[in-house]
């Protein structure tokens, strides 16, 4: 039924051995489904773009949505993001727990570009689940983890749900029984200006407003690339300044080239700047390199970015979705 089902998925018990095995797999760059108090997450090392690409591959996500980076505690989260007074107050009141805070990216943050979908903000959460906490402490780095379901399907609240949906596609599932909340975390953006509710979830609006001492704003429709964006309307991912042209086989004057694979089309050798997403034609490597390569080409000062043909199967679909939107963003 599933053409990409090639992995034997290990089912791990929620004990010390299971924690050790899950930690070792994650450290090696694998994807492991873990329980949190909200829903099961499909976790990978948030600092490793190849590992994060594995999440998108396993979920069959049609798009590179930004993912939540889970941290062991507030101190770890504060290495990744900048907390203003509101964010600090909310973290203090609700962490560990079902609240995700979208904050500006900190200098020296380790969460990779792909996990943030190229945004200059980062979604951070300290989960309240002993298994997740133990692994985060052992790893000493953030874990990117969207809900552990195939894209567009219902979020899993038990290890059996995950096994049904993603068995054969991920390295392991750590069984922590049924999740207690069963609904995703609430997402609040604390960027410039008023805190905004991006997604309702495990912490109620009333509880958040009681801590803030004022009403939460709703997501704005007109978002800058660094401004809050609501789930489902993430059209404002990092959009390059340079014009993006897809399926290019020739370079126009002043254009940079975004290549894929070992053979450079003859018409593309004289680009003003060149990035190759994967010389070996590996889509996972390409996904991991995408946002960094776009940024580098944009910063080269080129007028435009000519993108060589990229296969549209597997992760290629998400890569092409992202590139198409970058190409379309220029009105
Ligand atoms: O309860 C939860 O939050 C679960 C568990 C596993 O922690 N995780 C979860 O992740 O629901 P996911 O990937 O399904 O939802 C993350 C949402 C995305 O839809 C995206 O809209 C939003 O978080 N998000 C992430 N980074 C963002 C950012 N920088 N700006 C705005 N929204 C962001
Ligand atoms: Mg989800």
């Amino acid at each position: 039924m599933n053409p990409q089902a090639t992995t034997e998925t290990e089912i791990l018990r929620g004990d010390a051995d299971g924690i050790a095995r899950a930690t070792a797999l994650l450290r090696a760059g694998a994807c492991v489904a873990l329980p949190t108090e909200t829903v099961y997450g499909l976790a990978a090392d948030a600092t490793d773009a190849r590992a994060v690409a594995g999440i998108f591959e396993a979920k069959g996500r049609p798009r590179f949505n930004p993912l939540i980076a889970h941290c062991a505690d507030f101190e770890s989260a504060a290495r990744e993001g900048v907390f203003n007074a509101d964010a600090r107050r909310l973290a203090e009141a609700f962490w560990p727990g079902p609240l995700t805070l979208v904050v500006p990216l900190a200098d020296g943050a380790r969460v990779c570009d792909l996990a943030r979908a190229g945004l200059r903000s980062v979604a951070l959460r300290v989960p309240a689940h002993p298994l997740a906490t133990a692994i985060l402490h052992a790893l000493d780095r953030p874990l990117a983890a969207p809900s552990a379901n195939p894209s567009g399907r219902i979020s899993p609240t038990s290890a059996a749900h995950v096994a049904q949906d993603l068995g054969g596609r991920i390295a392991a599932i750590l069984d922590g029984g049924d999740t207690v909340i069963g609904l995703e975390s609430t997402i609040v953006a604390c960027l410039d200006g008023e805190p905004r509710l991006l997604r309702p979830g495990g912490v109620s609006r009333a509880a958040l407003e009681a801590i803030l001492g004022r009403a939460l704003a709703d997501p704005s429709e007109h978002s800058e690339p660094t401004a809050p964006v609501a789930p489902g309307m993430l059209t404002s991912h990092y959009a390059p300044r340079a014009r993006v042209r897809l399926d290019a086989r020739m370079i126009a004057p002043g254009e940079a080239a975004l290549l894929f694979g070992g053979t450079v089309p003859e018409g593309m050798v004289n680009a003003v700047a060149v990035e190759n997403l994967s010389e070996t034609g590996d889509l996972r490597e390409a996904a991991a390199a995408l946002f960094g390569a776009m940024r580098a080409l944009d910063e080269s000062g080129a007028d435009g970015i000519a993108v060589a043909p990229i296969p549209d199967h597997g992760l290629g679909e998400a890569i092409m979705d992202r590139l198409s939107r970058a190409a379309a963003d220029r009105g």
Side-chain angles (χ1 to χ4, degrees):
M1 175 191 139
N2 174 0
Q4 286 180 347
T6 51
T7 314
E8 180 83 45
T9 300
E10 297 176 36
I11 309 291
L12 307 173
R13 272 214 290 272
D15 56 15
D17 286 349
I19 291 170
R21 179 67 183 150
T23 304
L25 287 166
L26 288 163
R27 189 167 280 136
C31 291
V32 176
L34 305 175
T36 78
E37 78 280 31
T38 58
V39 298
Y40 275 73
L42 181 56
D45 181 348
T47 70
D48 175 351
R50 269 191 78 102
V52 172
I55 294 176
F56 291 104
E57 190 170 53
K59 283 188 63 109
R61 282 209 166 184
R63 292 180 176 182
F64 293 133
N65 284 328
L67 305 177
I68 297 170
H70 298 69
C71 299
D73 47 33
F74 178 79
E75 288 64 42
S76 321
R79 278 186 68 176
E80 307 301 324
V82 180
F83 288 70
N84 64 19
D86 291 325
R88 213 167 266 276
R89 218 173 283 141
L90 292 174
E92 218 160 84
F94 298 106
W95 280 358
L99 174 68
T100 295
L101 293 169
V102 174
V103 297
L105 193 67
D107 287 340
R110 299 172 300 170
V111 176
C112 67
D113 255 349
L114 182 61
R116 294 180 285 101
L119 294 169
R120 283 296 176 188
S121 56
V122 61
L124 298 168
R125 165 160 128 74
V126 175
H129 193 290
L131 294 175
T133 305
I135 290 169
L136 286 165
H137 274 293
L139 271 177
D140 196 25
R141 68 189 90 159
L143 284 173
S147 50
N149 50 281
S151 193
R153 303 273 284 278
I154 287 172
S155 296
T157 56
S158 73
H161 293 167
V162 182
Q164 269 163 26
D165 284 354
L166 295 176
R169 304 180 68 126
I170 60 178
I173 301 169
L174 182 62
D175 191 348
D178 290 346
T179 61
V180 293
I181 294 181
L183 171 80
E184 285 92 344
S185 61
T186 302
I187 306 181
V188 175
C190 295
L191 298 166
D192 3 304
E194 288 301 290
R196 285 178 188 282
L197 182 63
L198 299 189
R199 178 177 79 181
V203 176
S204 72
R205 179 193 281 268
L208 294 163
E209 291 179 345
I211 295 296
L212 290 169
R214 61 194 198 283
L216 276 167
D218 288 319
S220 81
E221 287 183 21
H222 308 285
S223 304
E224 297 302 315
T226 52
V229 277
M233 41 177 277
L234 289 162
T235 49
S236 55
H237 292 184
Y238 174 71
R241 176 195 51 77
R243 190 170 21 81
V244 175
R245 198 161 59 81
L246 302 180
D247 258 327
R249 288 170 178 81
M250 301 281 287
I251 285 295
E255 271 187 331
L258 185 62
L259 305 177
F260 176 83
T263 40
V264 180
E266 218 173 285
M268 296 184 81
V269 288
N270 53 357
V272 301
V274 176
E275 291 284 331
N276 196 325
L277 293 175
S278 171
E279 291 190 358
T280 59
D282 175 350
L283 285 167
R284 185 149 164 196
E285 183 180 33
L290 178 64
F291 290 102
M294 297 263 278
R295 199 180 297 277
L297 292 181
D298 212 17
E299 283 167 4
S300 75
D303 302 330
I305 300 173
V307 182
I310 294 173
D312 62 1
H313 59 82
L315 279 178
E317 187 184 344
I319 293 171
M320 284 312 289
D321 169 79
R322 183 67 207 91
L323 287 168
S324 309
R325 285 188 297 140
D329 279 347
R330 300 278 300 186

